[in-house]
Amino acid sequence: MRNRQRHRGFSLTEVLLAVGTLAIGMIFISGTFLTGIHLSTIATERTIAAVVADEAFAKIRLYGIDITDPNFASNQLTRFVTLNPIAQTEFAYPSTNTTTDKQYYWSALCRPVLSDPTNRLIQVTVFVSRKVGSGTTYPSGTSRPVPVQVAVSAASGPGNESKLTITNSAEQTFINGGSTLVDNETGLIYRVLKRDEDAPNTVVLDRNWQGGAADSVWVVPPPVGGGRYPCIAVYQKLIAF
């Protein structure tokens, strides 16, 4: 009598375990892939931002600043466009005779290093930002992202040395986790880590606040109606005029 060997397939439990293992692996792979795309995008934008900033500093040197301008004060930042109202197309990248369909823009703030009017050394802070969408508008009232001045106060009490309180409730949405702030008095740059869990109008900085108790900061706010934080990077240089 011939021995017959029985062939048995996979059980339902084995199939479910295999499918579950495969699904977990695919989720992990897709998550890693998306993270890689995100990091690659950030790296690309930061590379572009460095190029835009170099062009901005070159243009500021080219067009110059009148150090005797009455708008200048050693204890505050002044918009470069106030000191030298160049064409709006100059703030777009790449530079052409139109701002149509441009994604990257720069803005600059200037501050004399010393109060001596004969001092020609100027601290120049350049914000490089991206614009998303052709019809996007910003709280500054412009169609391109530019820094605005926001009133703040230093949070009081021990353990709050790195916290800032946004004075005007209407401006709370201007500053969020990841925002880059520039102190109006000192020109120092700060990074916002997060909002305070106990006070929605208070933000936590990456280091202790060194400005005044009642001060203001410059920040590029999100578009009107909300959206992605537009500022990619902030650069500073000392330039002699």
Side-chain angles (χ1 to χ4, degrees), residues 7-23:
H7 296 279
R8 185 172 63 88
F10 294 106
S11 67
L12 179 60
T13 302
E14 291 172 328
V15 171
L16 291 176
L17 285 174
V19 171
T21 303
L22 180 62

Side-chain angles (χ1 to χ4, degrees), residues 47-84:
T47 301
I48 294 173
V51 175
V52 176
D54 284 342
E55 182 174 295
F57 286 122
K59 286 183 176 180
I60 292 171
R61 286 192 181 97
L62 174 65
Y63 289 108
I65 293 174
D66 181 5
I67 61 174
T68 63
D69 192 303
N71 291 304
F72 245 162
S74 60
N75 61 343
Q76 66 179 13
L77 296 168
T78 305
R79 296 179 188 272
F80 171 70
V81 70
T82 301
L83 302 171
N84 194 334

Side-chain angles (χ1 to χ4, degrees), residues 34 37 51 171 179 213 233:
L34 292 175
I37 293 177
V51 175
E171 297 175 338
S179 297

Side-chain angles (χ1 to χ4, degrees), residues 125-146:
T125 304
V126 169
F127 294 76
V128 179
S129 305
R130 81 180 71 77
K131 178 182 178 180
V132 180
S134 58
T136 307
T137 57
Y138 294 86
S140 57
T142 63
S143 59
R144 63 183 178 90
V146 297

Side-chain angles (χ1 to χ4, degrees), residues 154-164 190 205 207-210:
S156 59
N160 293 327
E161 293 82 2
S162 62
K163 294 182 179 181
L164 276 184
Y190 298 85
L205 307 177
R207 57 194 175 110
N208 290 349
W209 175 250
Q210 300 180 46

